[in-house]
Amino acid sequence: MIQLQPASQAPSVLLERPQDAALADALIERAFGPGRLTKSSERVREFAEFAPDLSLCAWRGEALVGVVRQWRVRVGATPAVFLGPIAVAADERSGGVGALLVEQACAAARAAGETAIVLVGDAPYFGRFGFSAALGKAVRLPGPVDQRRVLGVAFTPAGEALEGMIRAL
Ligand SMILES: CC(C)(COP(=O)(O)OP(=O)(O)OC[C@H]1O[C@@H](n2cnc3c(N)ncnc32)[C@H](O)[C@@H]1OP(=O)(O)O)[C@@H](O)C(=O)NCCC(=O)NCCS
């Protein structure tokens, strides 16, 4: 017999493990398509340090329904976290999985003593979690980017004054 889980039930959010990477990559690929590899965020991820302690997978049973990855970088001289990509399975969207992942990713970074999180994304979505373009306005990416989409949220005074190029930790 097939057991249906009510869609309203929150999925389990766990740290991404090495064995989850292929499923997570496939979910990201489905969400963004191949064009994502040309983005400036992808250039950052080429030199950033993957943070397995800050990267999360949302599971409904055996099914991966969402993923958010985070990376350690410097902005100018300040260590910071770079968030992305975040993707939720198409048939799970608008059910709060994305919000759960962003909130828990922020909580993990804050608990780890990080200064701030920076990302390239849509302010209308990320604004509800405290991200703002004001915090990202002096943050530079290694490639073309719409500066209004460079968003940040700070956890410490150093994180409130992020300035400069994103570079390797
Ligand atoms: C963005 C994404 C992760 C959100 O996941 P989710 O589980 O649907 O998010 P939530 O349930 O927490 O929030 C959904 C709400 O955010 C809104 N929303 C989603 N993407 C948005 C965006 N780019 N800009 C503004 N609002 C957005 C939805 O319209 C929805 O509103 P509704 O509840 O009124 O329908 C998911 O839509 C996704 O995987 N998209 C494709 C990949 C992508 O674009 N990721 C990066 C976004 S910058």
Side-chain angles (χ1 to χ4, degrees):
M1 188 171 73
I2 299 169
Q3 279 212 317
L4 293 176
Q5 238 177 350
S8 57
Q9 194 174 317
S12 310
V13 176
L14 303 171
L15 290 176
E16 180 179 333
R17 304 161 302 174
Q19 62 265 40
D20 303 330
L23 269 183
D25 285 342
L27 177 53
I28 291 163
E29 174 73 24
R30 282 196 299 279
F32 290 94
R36 74 186 181 89
L37 296 174
T38 63
K39 291 182 177 173
S40 296
S41 305
E42 203 54 36
R43 301 287 81 73
V44 171
R45 290 190 277 270
E46 282 167 6
F47 61 71
E49 191 178 287
F50 180 58
D53 55 322
L54 307 178
S55 297
L56 305 170
C57 287
W59 298 93
R60 219 177 266 294
E62 302 281 296
L64 181 69
V65 296
V67 59
V68 59
R69 285 179 168 157
Q70 299 202 86
W71 311 76
R72 289 191 166 88
V73 294
R74 272 180 203 281
V75 177
T78 308
V81 171
F82 189 75
L83 183 152
I86 176 168
V88 170
D91 59 355
E92 288 272 352
R93 288 184 195 159
S94 292
V97 177
L100 192 64
L101 287 171
V102 177
E103 281 162 4
Q104 295 209 14
C106 289
R110 184 194 286 272
E114 303 294 342
T115 61
I117 300 175
V118 174
L119 59 79
V120 181
D122 295 330
Y125 184 69
F126 288 101
R128 72 192 75 172
F129 311 108
F131 285 86
S132 75
L135 232 114
K137 74 176 189 306
V139 176
R140 299 287 169 257
L141 269 87
V145 67
D146 177 350
Q147 198 65 38
R148 291 165 301 184
R149 289 172 47 80
V150 181
L151 311 178
V153 64
F155 308 124
T156 70
E160 307 220 356
L162 291 183
E163 187 176 1
M165 182 61 78
I166 299 186
R167 54 194 183 86
L169 195 60

